[in-house]
Structures are given as C-alpha cells and as structure tokens.
Amino acid sequence: MPDTTVPDTAGGDTVPQTYPEISVVVATRDRPGLLERAVASILGQDYPGRIECIVVYDHVDVRELDVPAGPDRSLKLIANTHRQGLPGGRNSGVEAATGELLAFCDDDDIWLPTKLSRQAERLADPAIGAVSCGLRLRGPGIDKERVLDRDLVVLDELLADRVMEVHSSTMLVRRSTWAAAGEVDEDIPGGYSEDYEWLLRVSAHTPIAVVREALVVVDWHGGSFYFGRWATIVEAQRYLIDKHPELARSRAGMARLRGQIAFALASGHRRTEAVKELAAVVRLNPREKRVLVTVPVILGLMTGERVLRMAQKRGKGI
C-alpha cells in the first residue's frame, strides 16, 4: 500500500499513513463507448492509494480498452465465469479482486474525482463496514441531485423504502462486509432488484454510512431495460419477499413491493390477479402511491410503459 506522511500532532514528527487498495468491479456486455467513460472516471480518482478496475465481460468477447491507467492504477479485463447476467458479472469481478475495499460501478455511470477518497474517510471508523454517497440523475430532460439528509442508513429504513440514493454505483464496502453479506444473488429472476436484495443483507451486518455529496452521475434511463418484462418483475419481487421474511416488519415496505407486483401484473394484462394484489396493498397501506398509478392500467386507460416513462421524467420509478 502507498505510504504518505502526516504530522504527528502530539510530537511534531511524521507518521506513515496507509491507504487500502480498492478494487472496482464494472460488469458490462456491449456498450464500449459508455464503458470507457466509466472506466476513465474510476482510474481518474484522486484517491492516494492503489485502485484496481476490473471490467467483467458478460458472456461476450473480452475487448481491449483505450483508457490510460497511470501510477498506482491497474485495469484488468476478464470474462464472467458465473451465470450470465449482472449478478454473475459482479461475483466474477469480486473473485478476481485483490483490494481490501470493494466498489461497483455500472458501465454507464460516472464517478466524480473525489468519490473514493471521501468515502474511504468514512471507512476509517471501524464500526462502519459500508459507505454510500449522493448521486445526480442525468439524462434526456432531467438533471437532478439525490442526496440524503442523514449520515447513516440502517436495515429498518431499507425494509420500509428502497432508498434510491443507496445505489449500486455509490457503494464502497470492506471485504469483510462482502464476506458477511454474501455474493450477489444469481438466482433472483432476471437479476431484477439484485442490488436491493444484496443491500438488505449488507445492512443486516453493518449500518451504511452516507457521504452527503452527489459524487456519482447516473445515466438516467429509469430502468427501461425492464419495459415489457412484467412477468419477470412479478417473479423477482415475489422471490424477494419469500427470501426476506423480515420485510413483513414494515407494512409500508411490504405495500411498496406488492404495489410493484400489482403494477406489473396490470401492465402484463393479468388484470384479475392485479386487482387481488392491489386489494392486499390497500389493506397494508391505503396511502401507497402505486395504487393510484395501477388503477388506470387495470382499467385500460393507460399502458404500464406510458406510466413508467412519465415517472422517469421526474427522476422516479414504479
């Protein structure tokens, strides 16, 4: 690990300060231009320690990248040896990682130069095993910051709400946290909500510290990858509920998840099932906002795709 010297405030001498090596995993498939932009933002961090960027190609040919690494920076290109999909790609990357700290970046997102240094400061506290930061949503018609007004996120908060600001591209965790929480779940249908499912396990092990700055730019397309994949969303959310019985501790949180199921059922033209699911949502939380957006879809007044696009323009999802 690189050493720097800092003043010893007690005696005036200097003492060595070490910076843990950070491994950053970027799972990708076929977005070379966006990928090079993401990798450049990782290797361009002002963090004084070593940074290892591991790009994992998801069952496509490994391609060389024209991104300079620089001192104390390395770029490793590997193939996904796990199940095809984002969870398998991230797990393959961590297996190849050598760093004491682990981070993830989506291949279409950008890190501001101070991200890792600001987050590593928070991990100096041994009681903290993971740290997030704020983000900026940037895309067609939107440029919006999302920054939390608190310094910690705990499990009960994630049970009640997804907490969008705790995004996969914002996370920096100790390797011990990864070991305690376990790999990203490769069995979750379609990889949908894989990041949220993993965060539930992380927050059961450690509070997640928050740097109150927008240090990640998210290329906001609002999850359009899932347009039309309504059956997958239904299966994934039911899988999540079955795997995490602790979700039942929050009526609001359960209403949110079942509201998403009802919306996906309605969008997939499974209206009878959607009505039954929506009735359960109302019993859990009559104020759940997904009731209002699901009813027009059930009635055939709007499509689920149109509702989702309207939400995305406001920087939100369903």
Side-chain angles (χ1 to χ4, degrees), residues 132-154:
S132 180
C133 65
L135 49 84
R136 177 180 288 275
L137 305 179
R138 185 175 292 166
I142 188 168
D143 190 351
K144 180 178 182 179
E145 282 195 1
R146 297 286 298 263
V147 180
L148 292 174
D149 60 356
R150 54 194 183 275
D151 295 323
L152 291 175
V153 173
V154 297

Side-chain angles (χ1 to χ4, degrees), residues 1-39:
M1 299 179 187
D3 289 346
T4 61
T5 56
V6 296
D8 180 347
T9 55
D13 297 328
T14 58
V15 295
Q17 180 177 349
T18 60
Y19 296 91
E21 179 181 359
I22 300 176
S23 293
V24 185
V25 176
V26 183
T28 191
R29 186 163 178 82
D30 192 21
R31 297 198 280 195
L34 294 173
L35 173 64
E36 290 191 349
R37 184 185 68 176
V39 170

Side-chain angles (χ1 to χ4, degrees), residues 19-24 41-52 73 101-104 111-123 131 133 169-173 211 215-216:
Y19 296 91
E21 179 181 359
I22 300 176
S23 293
V24 185
S41 75
I42 293 165
L43 297 178
Q45 292 289 298
D46 69 1
Y47 179 68
R50 293 193 179 104
I51 298 176
E52 171 188 57
R73 303 289 184 263
L101 305 180
L102 303 170
F104 305 92
W111 285 0
L112 299 190
T114 58
K115 176 188 184 290
L116 292 180
S117 58
R118 295 286 290 113
Q119 290 183 301
E121 290 173 4
R122 296 300 307 274
L123 285 181
V131 60
C133 65
S169 290
T170 71
M171 293 297 292
L172 178 67
V173 303
V211 175
L215 300 175
V216 175

Side-chain angles (χ1 to χ4, degrees), residues 167-185:
H167 183 281
S168 55
S169 290
T170 71
M171 293 297 292
L172 178 67
V173 303
R174 300 184 193 277
R175 185 173 285 275
S176 59
T177 298
W178 171 269
E183 293 184 326
V184 183
D185 190 342

Side-chain angles (χ1 to χ4, degrees), residues 87 91 183-188 191 194 197-198 201 239 243:
N91 291 336
E183 293 184 326
V184 183
D185 190 342
E186 298 179 26
D187 291 329
I188 193 165
E194 44 76 28
E197 191 282 324
W198 181 70
R201 289 184 276 126
Y239 175 95
K243 181 173 180 178

